[in-house]
Amino acid sequence: MKVGVLGSGDVARTLAAGLTAHGHEVMLGTRDAAKLAEWQAQNAAVTVGTVEATAAFAELVILAVKGTVALAVVRQVGEAIAGKPVIDACNPIADAAPDHGVLHFFTGPGESLMEMLQKACPAAHFVKAFNSVGHALMIDPELEGGPPTMFVCGDDATAKATVSRLLGEVGWDAADMGGVQAARAIEPLCMLWCIPGFLRNDWVHAFKLLRAKA
């Protein structure tokens, strides 16, 4: 697929390089291409462009920016993502230090960032994914116990199927948690995932959903 990654941080760069290695045609969209010059020199197969050009290029979009700017970016690309699957890899992390290892969110218990994004661009098909693990394990994770679980949600079944196939390509089992409202439960997994890191510098783990034997 033609994949457009919006963002320039660790998550965006990891996904762009990793999906390119898996055979996808990838463009990374940023507001400041100059700061990616050294990275692009080492990842020449990834095209770097503007946010708008990247959204227009893509068949599938990945939103990989700070949660505090995610809504502004979605409004910026607007019509360019209409009708397309959009992986929301963001978390609503507030600009505040963790409290005993627990992150602060700017959302409340009855809302989620993804619901805000879907409301801002109702024609796009948002799918929550890649938000509950660190960037180092996003592509081809090798962990004891086999492939980890990536929890996904969204209102469009076709978009979720597309994202689930992509997750399978890069070493994940996708678990569909339902509609966009499920992001209220999936986004806080970021908090839980980060606690061992903040408390014990343990960043090499992932979640796995286990089912009872039939």
Side-chain angles (χ1 to χ4, degrees):
M1 287 186 293
K2 292 182 177 180
V3 179
V5 182
L6 306 182
S8 57
D10 289 335
V11 171
R13 296 195 304 267
T14 295
L15 292 175
L19 292 174
T20 298
H22 276 268
H24 298 281
E25 186 179 352
V26 180
M27 179 182 285
L28 190 150
T30 178
R31 292 176 294 182
D32 186 4
K35 69 180 182 181
L36 290 173
E38 182 177 347
W39 178 85
Q40 191 181 21
Q42 300 171 355
N43 297 272
V46 179
T47 303
V48 174
T50 65
V51 171
E52 293 87 349
T54 300
F57 155 86
E59 297 170 304
L60 177 144
V61 177
I62 302 177
L63 184 65
V65 298
K66 284 184 63 176
T68 50
V69 302
L71 195 56
V73 173
V74 165
R75 287 171 174 159
Q76 181 180 351
V77 295
E79 295 181 359
I81 62 173
K84 298 178 181 180
V86 180
I87 294 178
D88 170 21
C90 307
N91 284 302
I93 300 172
D95 291 326
D99 179 9
H100 293 83
V102 181
L103 290 168
H104 295 276
F105 275 11
F106 58 75
T107 49
E111 60 184 356
S112 67
L113 176 58
M114 183 169 144
E115 287 174 282
M116 297 177 187
L117 302 177
Q118 186 66 80
K119 184 177 180 180
C121 190
H125 304 312
F126 285 92
V127 179
K128 200 77 190 182
F130 288 120
N131 76 298
S132 57
V133 72
H135 69 93
L137 296 177
M138 287 183 173
I139 303 294
D140 300 322
E142 294 185 5
L143 299 168
E144 293 184 12
T149 302
M150 183 61 65
F151 298 95
V152 304
C153 70
D155 287 341
D156 189 87
T158 300
K160 284 192 289 187
T162 298
V163 172
S164 295
R165 286 194 297 271
L166 186 68
L167 287 166
E169 286 182 32
V170 297
W172 289 86
D173 286 333
D176 185 353
M177 296 290 107
V180 65
Q181 295 82 4
R184 301 174 197 174
I186 295 175
E187 288 176 359
L189 291 176
C190 166
M191 289 185 180
L192 185 61
W193 186 86
C194 285
I195 289 173
F198 289 129
L199 297 184
R200 299 186 295 276
N201 197 32
D202 173 9
W203 302 99
V204 286
H205 54 273
F207 298 114
K208 187 173 182 65
L209 180 66
L210 300 177
R211 296 177 174 85
K213 293 182 178 179

